Amino acid sequence: MTSTAATISGAVRRATDAAPIFAVEQLPPAQHFIGGQFRPGAGSETQPLENPATGEIICEVAQGVAEDADAAIAAAVAAKEAWGRTLPKQRSEILLAIADRLAENAGELARLEALNTGKPMMVAEDDINGSIDTFRFMAGAARSTTSIAAGEYAEDHLSVILREPLGVIGVVTPWNYPLLMAAWKIAPILAAGNTIVLKPSEQTPLTTLKFAELTADLLPAGVFNVVTGLGPVIGQRLAEHPQVDMIALTGSVNSGRAVARAAAETVKRVHLELGGKAPLVIFDDADLSAAAESLRAAGYWNSGQECGAGTRVLVHESVAEQFTQLLVEQVGSLVVGEPTAGADVEMGPMISKAHYERVLAHLDRAQADGAKAALGGGALEGPGYFIAPTVLVDVPAGAACAQEEIFGPVVTVETFSTEDEALTRANEVPYGLAASVWTRDAQRSHDVASRLDAGTVWVNSHLVLANEMPWAGFKGSGYGRDLSAYALDDYSRTKHVMHNKAR
Ligand code: NAD
């Protein structure tokens, strides 16, 4: 595919250091991790992994078949009773030991993540720190969950609520934050007393396999299993298997639909964290410089390959020109480069050639639809799959670039004249993951936040997360809750036991 937009040369900072980012001999075994051990799969096919910053092949990873998923499910089934009976304190101590092990190996994990995804070291390090904190938080939450108090709610009958693990949970993760998205599932699922079979993205399995290697001595065999391979093969098998009690997927809407469909046959629970197209509603009284500075990070962090990214500016028409100028200044100063090109590199490549071409096709279509690039608008010279940080203006109403998830470094700017118009248009996309409102008017901020159809709404901020708070979408963004004590609820079942105490 050839994009119609011009390729910009010389804008990617290249590594000058010849030393590799990660020593090949430290790569984890490129096999499945089942029953506490790495092992080859039943099939013979492998899949090459590519470094998207350079286009070089890193290694080949086993491409699983349904029998591999079945073997991992059998291991998880065998382990579930003993693990489910452990005390919260015991599970909590194991989660803390996992957090410590990750912390001891944080540098290596960050470099491995950067190798597999091309992301800058500052992003990879943030991912690993976030993963560690997720395990620490869930270790505490496991011991401090609450529910309705035991008591007499019907005459002579004492009611007690038991919170139980579900059993075996199938997990499917995406490529944008490979270890972090895995940690968001693994930590609460184990904390709640379940066992796991996890299928990482076929493009980015390395840190998940490293996690298995690093924690193999901390978890009983079979409690945590990894099967590498394709979604429609391994993910599908996990979703349809009768001995999997729940399927949890973070990924695109199409993959979410596929697992929900497959899960329906066995009526298993489904937990979905899907795409997003987060609007920023910027009123005329907002601190425009703060909004532009915030969007520099919120729109372009992880190269915009971020489900909660601020992608869709709706700015009051009276301040649109001023805001756009501030935004272009901010975004124009982003440092784009290879992960080893310096600690100040802020933006890396797209994850793959296919995704790079998809984002470029979006840019071509946006420009054909009448939008103009106030900044960027095309590819950056290779090698690697780099795209220029882009700001699109003059976006016609309903244009695909402002409605569909592009998942690249692209922000659209549209204008509005009334608050009602801003809200209608903010809510008109099929997604409902995140949104932000920018105003100095406190009453307006509360009211608008309550009328935005999104699972997370920031006021005068965007893309700040906390392990204590839930992350979950509405509408097409799915219905699972990651992070916080709510995730523990999602991965547990509540049983009511009623004692007749009449005498
Ligand atoms: P993707 O849907 O292509 O893949 C995600 C995972 O699903 C992969 O492991 C893939 O192999 C698997 N998969 C694909 N088809 C499947 C099928 N038919 N059955 C079972 N599994 C299947 O998504 P991606 O490209 O890896 O990630 C980007 C998407 O993830 C974006 O839409 C993004 O918004 C979303 N995302 C959402 C969140 C969130 O918290 N809501 C977080 C990160 C990413």
Side-chain angles (χ1 to χ4, degrees), residues 172-177 181 184-185 199-204 229-237 239 247 249-259 262 272-276 305-308 351 355 405 407 431 433 471-473 477 482:
V172 179
T173 54
W175 49 256
N176 61 341
Y177 298 108
M181 292 300 100
W184 283 17
K185 305 291 188 219
K199 189 208 86 65
S201 165
E202 56 277 21
Q203 298 176 76
T204 55
L230 298 175
V233 180
I234 306 301
Q236 168 81 17
R237 187 70 185 140
I247 180 85
L249 175 137
T250 300
S252 62
V253 177
N254 276 340
S255 305
R257 273 197 204 104
V259 299
L272 299 176
E273 291 286 353
L274 308 177
Q305 301 171 126
E306 154 66 58
C307 50
I351 189 67
H355 186 53
E405 186 181 46
F407 227 54
Y431 299 102
L433 187 59
W471 179 253
S477 296
D482 276 339

Side-chain angles (χ1 to χ4, degrees), residues 13 23 69 83 219 226 230 248 265 284 300 325 327 336 378 396 408 475:
R13 198 199 287 167
W83 180 251
L219 286 164
V226 182
L230 298 175
E265 206 50 49
D284 52 0
Y300 302 87
Q325 203 178 335
L327 182 64
V336 182
K475 303 196 294 187

Side-chain angles (χ1 to χ4, degrees), residues 29-30 51 57 83 109-110 153 193 219 255 283 316 369 378 389 427 430 437 448 482:
N51 176 344
I57 299 300
W83 180 251
L109 285 163
Y153 299 96
L219 286 164
S255 305
F283 287 100
H316 191 267
D369 283 347
N427 289 335
V437 49
V448 169
D482 276 339

Side-chain angles (χ1 to χ4, degrees), residues 73-134:
I73 293 164
V77 168
K80 79 174 178 179
E81 230 180 279
W83 180 251
R85 273 202 313 270
T86 52
L87 297 174
K89 177 178 191 290
Q90 292 169 307
R91 296 197 294 275
S92 172
E93 281 166 359
I94 291 175
L95 293 186
L96 288 173
I98 292 175
D100 289 347
R101 188 66 58 82
L102 297 182
E104 284 154 22
N105 294 278
E108 190 183 2
L109 285 163
R111 282 183 281 106
L112 185 58
E113 202 72 292
L115 172 76
N116 200 172
T117 60
K119 61 174 72 189
M121 284 308 295
M122 68 165 74
V123 179
E125 284 162 5
D126 188 73
D127 286 9
I128 306 307
N129 289 338
S131 305
I132 295 166
D133 194 45
T134 301

